[in-house]
Each structure stands twice: as structure tokens, then as C-alpha cells.
């Protein structure tokens, strides 16, 4: 099934069930009003939502209305956890190669992951607000999952069973603030502002056999200012599966229902696939020509991130954002 | 007023109002059931809780019952944000000096802060569960605050106005996992397991004039296995105030209601005050004798963290935890 959260001026919005083709939606009122509620009590509530989803797909839901992604908050407008991996080691290799740094051997067995802010997620069509273009505004097109409870010490296989929903993320990054924060070693605070998510979160069965081994074997499209800059394969080159990422996170603590885990920038060895973040394009330019050529995003720039299923239909709806100056 | 969250087998527990002397409590049912609800709508709900608090203090609340810290979850059992500063630069100086590393000049003007996991906080008397003593289990006695909404770009003064509640934290750390995570530069994931908080969170007025300039000018007591190891002053040597810490956090993004911000390990230049984490004791031993002598916590060890007000009464109740092996 496909779930979204509609804006209603409240902090958590209103849960809606969305039809498979993303054409219609129906309030889940009577079953649950907020997505976190459903994640807290998945086994009881999700079958009821699934029933409504099937009725909606059959065109028989009584109060269905046209689905509008612009009315969406993030599926979870705020979450108790956002932990973002950097599971595509090719991305790490490129960025390091551009600054003549080695990739430590451990990076191939021990995932890179940072704990991010989760109190203020952006909806799929919300503006990216920044005070200064000089911060180096960049998009990062990613796949993300939402978990149930996963106990401390769970194996990657157990962790995989804890995945409830899939979605897309735009992990907006302020590149020029990153070097100083990396040097401090404590992770990202100012260089990772609010993250945006796709209009709908979907249960893994919606991806069919494209969801296998804890990876989404589909093409992630990134379109910057109307130009398709990335057609990256999100599956085969993901060094660490989502099961491995979650197991990494829960080695020393429980992961609780509603945790959001990201893949990191999707990246392919074959550069002809393009890029899922500008930093990677700049790294390639540096490797090839000694210096980056492509500038980061400017106020007014747009970014669209989408994945189509094997049927050619949009799986999650599109993230479509514009960069604007803080007032 | 003083607020706590009682265990009721649910994820968020039940909000209770606690008397000033911590002797009695009263369910806040009828006003709010969860603390996050109150933070989401502070101006409307907090005056009602304040009325109940006054009635309770006068001994006139009808359904008051004896307050038991062991029945408490963390005041916010799960939160949308946990960002922990390292605001006592003396702590940073000691730890670096012990490993012959310089403190960069920027550390005196730009706070160190990491984003932590907030999906699974511990109650004040919950066991610290770890799979392996070899991880180097340590306590960190800290002061923490809970905020209202603080907009992106707020000044330290504006941020200070956004502080709703004060409490204590035990930011449990796995010291032997830290070097590898620090080297990766992405912050702490495995080396910072679940954090514990004091039985009650209090409005700043409860601290009287000890709360000034965004600092709590009281003595933080740490008692390890029944031995008082720390009597550290939490106010004067806090290099960055809570206003500055929050302003650092919200430079590039909004901070939303219910965010929890920590001071980092409380630390004094005068070593006779003792220590608020074992790592600091070991750093001092290394500086004095070339090697650390004090071992980290073992299974069965206990830690008690408390602050007394100027009236000699416990301000937040005590964090009292035992380290136990994961089953």
C-alpha cells in the first residue's frame, strides 16, 4: 500500500491512503490519523489500511479525492530518528579521490553513517530555505526506509524484517560548511539542514521483485533545473544493504518504530549514469580536469527526484523542490 | 513546576505533575497525557499544569499519590531531537592533552555538538544494558534542556527564550568504540547508546536565580558505586550557554518543540571538584602519570547523578542506574 500525510496546519498532518497509480487518496480517519500511530501498532492497524487501499484501487472508496503531492508533508513530518548511511562506496571513493585522500580499508566492511536531525522534515514540494548561497547548497537523491522496532544486536537479516515502508529522500547538504564539521569529528549539525521525503511511503511489496536483498533495484532519476542529470541504479552497487545499515545502527542500542534510515547518495561506477548530488559531479570534474566546474545550487534552482517502477509508473511520486532565500 | 512521565507500558507513558519536594505526584489526565503534547501547545496547556502543581504543593490535590522515581520513564521517553553539546571546554582540553593533541582555536568560539539518537531514551532508574564490558562503558553527567520551537537563524538570546524545561542527563558512552567513529568524522552512532534523564523536568523558575545566563549555577553530584566522585560546578565554567548551543544548532534549520539539548560533560579546571565521567579521570591520570589507572564501568556498577538546589533539596530527583549485561 501507499501512504501519505496531508497538510492540515498541525505538526503531524493527516494520514491518507493513496491509490497505486497516485491518482486518488482517502483519509485514513477511523483507522489512524498519524503515520507514527500506525508504526507504533503496525500489526493491528496496517491490515485495516490495506483494506482501504484495495477498496481505493478498485475505485470503490466513498470519499476518495484527487491526490495532490503539493498538499503533502513528509510521510513522517517529524520522526524519532533519522540515520543516514553512505552505503554507495563509489560516492565515497570519488569524493576522496578528488581530494587525494585514501579510502580506509574498513570503509568496505563498516558502513559510514551519521545521525541527522529529524524534528523538522520537509514535504516533497516544500521550498529549500537557506540564508546564503555561499553555503554550497546541494541535493542528495537517496532511497530511505522506515522501520518498526528492531532490538539491540539484531542481525542484518532480522533488521531487514523490521523494514515497514520505503520512500525517497532529498538529504539537502550545505557543502561549504562540511569540511569544518568533518574536521571536528562530531558529525554534521549545520551542514545538514532539513531533509525532504517523497509524497508517499510504500510497503516493500509495491516494488515487486525490484525490492530484494534489502536493496531497491530501480533507477533513481534526478532532474536539476529541468535537466536530467542522474539516472542512477539504486540496487546493484549499494555496498551495504538496508539490513546491514540498520544492524550497524542497532549494535549498541534498540532502534524504535518510526526510525528513518537513508542509503546515502546513490552512485554508480559508470559515470554515464550521471549523478545524484552536485558534489559528485564536481569530484569527477576535479579528477578529470584538476578543478570543479559545476557550481552548487542558486536561489530559484529546482530539483526533482523520482523512481519509476518496472511498470513505468512513479512508485513514490516525485520530490519537487525549489531553493529560496530565507526572509 | 515539575513534570515527570510514569511508566504505563505504552511508548510515551503518562504525564504526571510532581510536587516541589518530589514527595507526591498527580496524573495530568484531563489536561494532557503526554509531555510532547504540552510542548506542542505550551502556552495553552502549561498554565493548567501550573494550577495543578500549585494545588499539589498545597496538599490539596484530590488524587495525589507518593512519587516514585523508579516508576519514571525519561520525561520525554522519545524525542524528535537530541543534540548534545560539549560546552565545557575544560573537558575537551583535558581529553586532548592526555593524547598530546592541540585544542583548535575555533573550539573556543564554535561549539562542539553531536546529533544523538532520541528514539529510545532511558528512565532515571533503568538499567544500562551493554553486550560487552570491553566497549568501555562510561557515564557522562550533564545538564539538559527541552525547547519549544526555535526558528532558523535565531540569536542566542532568542534561543534562550525557547527553553521550556531543565533536567539532568546521563549520556552513556562506550569509550572504546569512540576512536574509530571519531576517525570516520561522521559523529557517534555505536559509541553513544541510549541516554538516561532525571525523574523530573522542571521549568527554569524552579532553579531560582541559579538559572542565569543560560547556565545552571549549581553543583552536579556524581556518585559511582556509592562513592562521590564528582561535585562539579555546572555554571561558571560552561564555555557556551544553552542559548549559544541552541543558536549553533538552528543556524541552518528550525529547531522544533520537544528538542532536547545537552551541555556535555560538566567539568571544572580545579580537579578537586572530581569528575563527571571516567574518561576525564583517566585523562588526568594520563597527564600526571603517563597512563590511565581507573577502569571503566563493569557489569553491576552503579551511577547516581543529582543536583541540589540552594535550599538543599533535590531539584530533579536522582538518576540511579546499574550496568547490566545484555541477555
Amino acid at each position: 500500500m501507499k501512504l501519505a500525510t496531508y497538510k492540515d496546519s498541525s505538526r503531524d498532518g493527516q494520514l491518507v491512503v493513496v491509490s497505486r497509480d497516485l491518482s486518488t487518496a482517502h483519509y485514513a480517519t477511523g483507522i489512524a490519523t498519524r503515520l507514527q500511530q500506525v508504526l507504533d501498532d503496525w500489526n493491528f492497524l496496517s491490515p485495516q489500511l490495506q483494506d482501504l487501499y484495495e477498496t481505493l484501487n478498485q475505485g470503490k472508496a466513498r470519499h476518495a479525492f484527487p491526490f495532490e503531492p503539493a498538499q503533502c508533508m513528509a510521510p513522517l513530518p517529524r520522526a524519532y530518528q533519522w540515520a543516514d548511511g553512505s552505503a554507495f562506496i563509489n560516492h565515497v571513493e570519488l569524493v576522496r579521490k578528488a581530494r587525494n585522500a585514501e579510502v580506509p580499508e574498513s570503509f568496505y566492511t563498516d558502513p559510514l553513517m551519521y545521525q541527522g536531525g529529524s524534528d523538522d522534515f520537509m514535504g516533497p514540494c516544500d521550498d529549500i530555505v537557506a540564508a546564503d548561497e555561499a553555503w554550497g547548497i546541494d541535493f542528495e537523491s537517496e532511497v530511505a526506509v522506515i522501520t518498526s522496532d528492531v532490538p539491540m544486536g539484531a542481525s542484518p537479516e532480522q533488521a531487514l524484517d523490521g523494514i515497514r515502508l520505503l520512500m525517497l529522500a532529498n538529504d539537502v547538504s550545505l557543502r561549504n560548511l562540511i569540511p569544518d564539521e568533518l574536521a571536528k569529528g562530531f558529525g554534521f549539525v549545520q551542514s545538514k539542514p532539513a531533509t525532504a521525503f517523497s509524497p508517499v511511503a510504500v510497503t516493500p511489496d509495491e516494488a515487486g521483485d525490484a525490492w530484494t536483498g534489502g536493496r531497491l533495484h530501480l533507477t533513481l532519476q534526478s532532474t536539476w533545473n529541468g535537466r536530467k542529470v542522474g539516472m542512477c541504479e539504486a540496487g546493484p552497487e549499494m555496498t551495504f544493504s538496508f539490513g546491514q545499515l540498520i544492524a550497524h545502527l542497532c549494535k549498541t542500542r534498540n532502534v524504535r518504530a518510526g526510525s528513518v534510515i537513508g542509503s546515502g547518495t546513490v552512485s554508480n561506477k559508470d559515470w554515464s549514469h550521471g549523478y545524484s548530488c552536485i558534489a559528485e559531479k564536481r569530484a569527477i570534474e576535479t579528477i578529470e580536469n584538476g578543478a570543479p566546474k559545476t557550481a552548487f545550487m542558486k536561489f530559484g534552482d529546482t530539483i526533482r527526484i523520482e523512481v519509476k517502477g518496472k511498470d513505468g509508473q512513479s512508485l513514490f511520486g516525485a520530490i519537487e523542490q525549489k531553493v529560496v532565500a530565507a526572509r
Side-chain angles (χ1 to χ4, degrees), chain A:
Chain A
M1 66 185 160
K2 302 194 175 192
L3 302 172
T5 297
Y6 251 42
K7 296 182 181 188
D8 68 350
S9 300
S10 78
R11 293 173 184 270
D12 295 301
Q14 278 291 325
L15 181 64
V16 301
V17 175
V18 183
S19 64
R20 179 164 291 128
D21 65 2
L22 305 180
S23 68
T24 59
H26 197 287
Y27 283 105
T29 333
I31 303 170
T33 57
R34 299 177 297 114
L35 182 53
Q36 182 64 48
Q37 243 182 298
V38 180
L39 293 157
D40 284 347
D41 198 7
W42 184 263
N43 290 342
F44 180 66
L45 294 173
S46 71
Q48 302 175 49
L49 294 172
Q50 181 70 33
D51 285 348
L52 174 55
Y53 179 62
E54 282 158 23
T55 310
L56 184 66
N57 282 332
Q58 291 158 7
K60 292 178 182 165
R62 288 214 177 175
H63 303 287
F65 53 86
F67 177 62
E68 292 179 59
Q71 295 307 313
C72 289
M73 304 174 84
L76 275 180
R78 50 182 179 173
Y80 295 108
Q81 176 155 254
W82 162 231
D84 196 13
S86 190
F88 290 82
I89 195 79
N90 186 60
H91 172 73
V92 181
E93 287 171 345
L94 279 175
V95 172
R96 295 221 161 205
K97 191 169 176 187
R99 53 176 158 105
N100 287 312
E102 292 280 307
V103 177
E105 199 52 46
S106 67
F107 280 28
Y108 294 87
T109 52
D110 180 46
L112 267 181
M113 179 177 279
Y114 80 91
Q115 194 94 43
S118 52
D119 58 319
D120 192 41
F121 287 154
M122 288 184 283
C125 303
D126 290 351
D127 289 337
I128 298 167
V129 179
D132 195 343
E133 283 179 348
W135 287 345
I137 305 159
D138 198 358
F139 59 88
E140 277 196 10
S141 311
E142 305 192 1
V143 180
V145 303
I146 307 179
T147 74
S148 64
D149 292 318
V150 183
M152 177 161 57
S155 69
E157 295 68 31
Q158 290 167 330
L160 198 55
D161 281 342
I163 294 174
R164 293 285 167 265
L165 295 164
L166 315 180
M167 55 187 179
L168 302 179
N170 180 11
D171 181 44
V172 178
S173 299
L174 301 172
R175 297 293 174 192
N176 297 336
L177 304 185
I178 285 184
D180 283 354
E181 291 203 317
L182 267 185
K184 289 159 86 176
F186 272 38
F188 309 109
V189 173
Q190 297 179 337
S191 49
K192 294 281 185 179
T195 307
F197 293 91
S198 49
V200 302
V202 312
T203 46
D205 60 291
E206 293 291 337
D209 59 10
W211 173 251
T212 178
R215 294 170 176 86
L216 185 68
H217 290 260
L218 292 171
T219 309
L220 183 65
Q221 305 184 11
S222 300
T223 307
W224 178 20
N225 290 336
R227 198 175 139 245
K228 202 163 279 184
V229 296
M231 291 285 284
C232 296
E233 298 306 321
E237 297 179 52
M238 188 172 170
T239 314
F240 303 101
S241 71
F242 277 106
Q244 288 172 298
L245 292 178
I246 298 166
H248 179 81
L249 180 62
C250 72
K251 180 181 172 183
T252 62
R253 52 173 151 121
N254 301 308
V255 164
R256 302 305 303 270
S259 289
V260 183
I261 318 295
S263 68
T265 306
V266 174
S267 175
N268 295 150
K269 277 199 186 297
D270 178 352
W271 295 353
S272 72
H273 288 288
Y275 53 92
S276 305
C277 73
I278 302 169
E280 192 165 310
K281 171 70 169 161
R282 288 165 58 92
I284 293 171
E285 289 167 350
T286 303
I287 293 165
E288 288 188 331
N289 309 310
K293 197 177 68 182
T294 307
F296 290 116
M297 299 178 93
K298 304 286 180 199
F299 296 138
D301 275 17
T302 61
I303 176 67
R304 180 187 168 94
I305 302 169
E306 192 172 24
V307 158
K308 288 187 174 155
K310 289 188 173 169
D311 58 0
Q313 298 296 305
S314 186
L315 185 53
F316 307 100
I319 294 174
E320 288 199 84
Q321 297 186 274
K322 189 164 85 174
V323 179
V324 306
R327 275 172 303 186

